[in-house]
Amino acid sequence: MGNPAQLRDTFGRLHDNLRVSVTDRCNIRCYYCMPEHEVQFVPREEILTFEEIERFVRLAVSLGIRKVRVTGGEPLVRRNLHLLIRKLAAIPGLTDLALTTNGVLLREQAEPLYEAGLRRINIHLDTLDRNRFLRITRRDDFDRVLEGIETCRRLGYDPIKLNAVAVKDLTEPDVVPLARFGREKNIEIRFIEFMPLDAQGLWLRDKVLLADDIVQTISSEVCPLIEIPDRDPRAPATEYRYADGGGTVGFIASISKPFCLNCNRIRLTADGKLRYCLFAIEETDVKGLLRGAATEEEIARIIAEVVAAKWEGHEVNTARFVAPPRPMYAIGG
Ligand code: SAM
Ligand code: SF4
């Protein structure tokens, strides 16, 4: 144990980034993620405890993981999340701890999370139009999300980033207002191309609002954007800066410009399955190991095996593509 080279896959990619889903539950119902009704959730007893997550993360850090992002489902619906954040923030060698949230509960929870050691936060906001927010999320929580963003700014979270899923024939009118909002508030907006991970099988290739088209729209209607070359080639987002110095915009172009060749991520689902890719069909159970008598060495070997089995990249752009059996909320975005 302790040899970071263990998390290098057969394509030479070093893995130092772990996404940890803490729940598959959510308080809203974004249509590109969850079904509207009768959502199938994992039974509570199948969800990893904070102690199990902490043990897994400590082990992963001993193998070279340096960055952890806590996600879900909606991570803030997991009771006392700040207690987990405190445990993770105290792990030596974990240099970067971040959270992705829909922001609905941030007004109440941003402060305890900050006190527990969280500084980096991504808040999901697709639109500044209340009606479209309702249409997309099937819940009327727009004001709460805006209040959550303001609470994080006031507390001094840094960086705060906004995630906006880009869907053709739906969110085009949001591109310019979101870009302006980001400039005004000095917050980076990241546009994420719609991926085939929705629960209802609604994804179609021509529903993806392409990153290049968004760059053009912002460049002509807000301010010219200039690509920042290779800022961090292993980060999923391609970053652009405004020509007038008014901040940056990120693009997660998973469909039009897959970044698999630089991927450094593995994922732990809320029910303790380890995945080498968002789009992977297979996953490996670690909950049984964490709850059984497995030693740290045995669990470390399984983590290394999952990384070693990683494919070259997702196949969304090929005829072979098969959507994973679990949608986004159940994997952890
Ligand atoms: N509930 C939190 C949230 O919404 O930020 C965390 C989990 S959510 C699954 C993580 C991210 O996945 C969100 O930022 C959301 O925008 C993105 N997402 C969900 N479904 C998606 C899809 N089908 N295509 C692209 N991004 C998606
Ligand atoms: Fe919930 Fe996030 Fe999925 Fe929206 S994207 S339904 S907020 S888990």
Side-chain angles (χ1 to χ4, degrees):
M1 251 182 15
N3 176 5
Q6 276 179 288
L7 295 186
R8 197 178 284 281
D9 71 10
T10 56
F11 300 93
R13 296 171 294 198
L14 188 64
H15 288 67
D16 64 359
N17 192 316
L18 169 69
R19 301 214 165 200
V20 176
S21 173
V22 294
T23 181
D24 61 344
R25 282 153 211 269
C26 188
N27 42 1
I28 61 177
R29 292 285 180 276
C30 307
Y31 88 91
Y32 44 68
C33 179
M34 279 206 166
E36 185 166 11
H37 305 293
E38 293 170 26
V39 189
Q40 299 293 317
F41 294 117
V42 169
R44 281 181 202 276
E45 62 276 15
E46 299 298 323
I47 301 289
L48 294 183
T49 64
F50 288 170
E51 289 68 29
E52 288 163 344
I53 293 173
E54 182 193 3
R55 180 178 173 207
F56 183 88
V57 173
R58 279 187 185 274
L59 192 49
V61 169
S62 78
L63 296 172
I65 293 293
R66 294 290 170 264
K67 301 180 178 185
V68 168
R69 177 171 295 277
V70 172
T71 182
E74 171 48 37
L76 300 195
V77 303
R78 178 87 188 245
R79 197 136 41 102
N80 292 326
L81 184 71
H82 63 283
L83 299 180
L84 176 67
I85 294 294
R86 176 158 297 134
K87 287 175 189 290
L88 299 183
I91 297 178
L94 181 58
T95 53
D96 184 334
L97 178 62
L99 176 82
T100 298
T101 170
N102 64 27
V104 173
L105 296 173
L106 270 177
R107 190 180 61 184
E108 297 79 10
Q109 294 190 32
E111 192 162 346
L113 289 166
Y114 191 90
E115 279 169 7
L118 186 70
R119 295 292 179 271
R120 306 173 67 92
I121 198 155
N122 283 38
I123 305 168
H124 173 188
L125 181 66
D126 298 328
T127 177
L128 291 168
D129 178 290
R130 175 188 307 277
N131 289 330
R132 207 152 32 248
F133 184 96
L134 181 62
R135 208 172 130 202
I136 293 172
T137 67
R138 297 141 165 172
R139 295 289 186 275
D140 192 10
D141 284 322
F142 177 67
D143 290 334
R144 294 185 61 95
V145 178
L146 288 189
E147 285 172 49
I149 294 170
E150 283 310 316
T151 309
C152 288
R153 293 180 72 220
R154 187 168 41 74
L155 289 165
Y157 275 90
D158 185 24
I160 302 172
K161 293 182 181 175
L162 296 186
N163 287 349
V165 181
V167 185
K168 209 162 190 167
D169 300 330
L170 181 65
T171 64
E172 284 96 335
D174 299 305
V175 167
V176 168
L178 281 173
R180 294 207 168 110
F181 182 77
R183 277 163 67 88
E184 247 172 64
K185 307 271 178 192
N186 200 18
I187 294 177
E188 179 176 302
I189 311 279
R190 318 180 110 199
F191 292 96
I192 308 174
E193 288 180 347
F194 180 22
M195 294 182 258
L197 292 168
D198 59 298
Q200 292 170 285
L202 299 173
W203 185 86
L204 289 171
R205 186 166 302 278
D206 62 12
K207 287 281 172 205
V208 182
L209 179 54
L210 301 174
D212 279 351
D213 293 344
I214 301 175
V215 171
Q216 273 200 2
T217 305
I218 296 177
S219 290
S220 63
E221 294 188 39
V222 181
C223 173
L225 282 172
I226 301 164
E227 188 170 348
I228 308 176
D230 280 349
R231 196 182 212 187
D232 173 1
R234 282 145 49 86
T238 307
E239 301 223 63
Y240 285 69
R241 63 180 174 81
Y242 287 110
D244 66 356
T248 56
V249 184
F251 295 90
I252 302 188
S254 324
I255 307 300
S256 63
K257 294 178 192 160
F259 35 85
C260 306
L261 290 178
N262 293 318
C263 182
N264 61 354
R265 279 173 294 286
I266 51 176
R267 294 166 185 274
L268 182 66
T269 66
D271 57 345
K273 313 284 183 210
L274 191 57
R275 302 174 61 89
Y276 56 68
C277 177
L278 201 45
F279 293 98
I281 303 297
E282 60 199 19
E283 46 188 29
T284 302
D285 182 62
V286 291
K287 182 178 71 228
L289 301 174
L290 290 165
R291 291 188 178 174
T295 62
E296 307 308 271
E297 284 72 19
E298 282 163 341
I299 302 172
R301 185 167 47 75
I302 297 297
I303 300 175
E305 280 176 14
V306 167
V307 172
K310 183 159 174 153
W311 58 15
E312 193 173 5
H314 73 63
E315 298 184 329
V316 177
N317 294 318
T318 74
R320 290 187 302 277
F321 176 66
V322 180
R326 302 219 233 188
M328 189 66 122
Y329 72 92
I331 298 172

